[in-house]
Amino acid sequence: MTQQGAALQGYNNELVKCIEDLCMQKEELNKQIQQAEEEKNKLQHEIQVLSEQLEYVCENLAQKVASRNELDKILAETEAAYMKILDSSRTLLNVLKKEVGSLKHSPDLKTN
């Protein structure tokens, strides 16, 4: 019977050691889970901050693009108006030259 008791005690010791090992593994896994959850929360916070920054940059970019488009429109209109002024000035100059040329050939303006 002593031999059976010793065997039973040996099995019991191994069983206790296995249970202790499993408990240690569980504790280690709990630590890893907690670290992973903290990392997940940290990353989610960073994503939220970056998303807000991205939204701000996108809004700012849209405003700048709209302003640039408005400036392009103003520039195009101004350049078109300026070209009309140049064309009118050229026409006025040509008319003035013709008038001055006509006056030079007029007998009333000729001097002796």
Side-chain angles (χ1 to χ4, degrees):
M1 235 340 137
T2 353
Q3 192 175 11
Q4 291 172 340
L8 184 59
Q9 184 66 36
Y11 296 147
N12 187 46
N13 289 342
E14 279 188 59
L15 183 58
V16 168
K17 180 161 178 19
C18 286
I19 290 172
E20 286 175 351
D21 286 346
L22 288 174
C23 286
M24 287 177 24
Q25 287 178 3
K26 179 184 172 189
E27 285 178 33
E28 180 61 31
L29 193 55
N30 279 338
K31 286 179 187 177
Q32 292 174 0
I33 288 170
Q34 184 179 5
Q35 289 173 345
E37 286 176 345
E38 289 172 0
E39 181 69 15
K40 179 186 118 186
N41 290 337
K42 177 184 167 194
L43 291 172
Q44 284 178 329
H45 177 71
E46 289 175 10
I47 288 171
Q48 180 181 356
V49 168
L50 289 172
S51 292
E52 290 170 1
Q53 289 176 347
L54 177 62
E55 183 179 340
Y56 171 78
V57 168
C58 287
E59 288 174 3
N60 190 283
L61 177 62
Q63 289 173 353
K64 288 181 180 184
V65 167
S67 294
R68 183 192 62 195
N69 291 343
E70 185 64 25
L71 284 174
D72 284 344
K73 179 182 170 188
I74 291 169
L75 280 169
E77 291 172 356
T78 302
E79 287 173 355
Y82 183 70
M83 293 307 291
K84 286 181 182 180
I85 291 170
L86 286 178
D87 190 44
S88 295
S89 295
R90 184 176 37 248
T91 302
L92 178 61
L93 181 61
N94 289 336
V95 168
L96 185 60
K97 284 180 179 179
K98 280 184 184 178
E99 290 295 323
V100 168
S102 296
L103 289 176
K104 284 183 180 179
H105 293 94
S106 170
D108 295 339
L109 289 179
K110 289 188 180 178
T111 59
N112 290 341

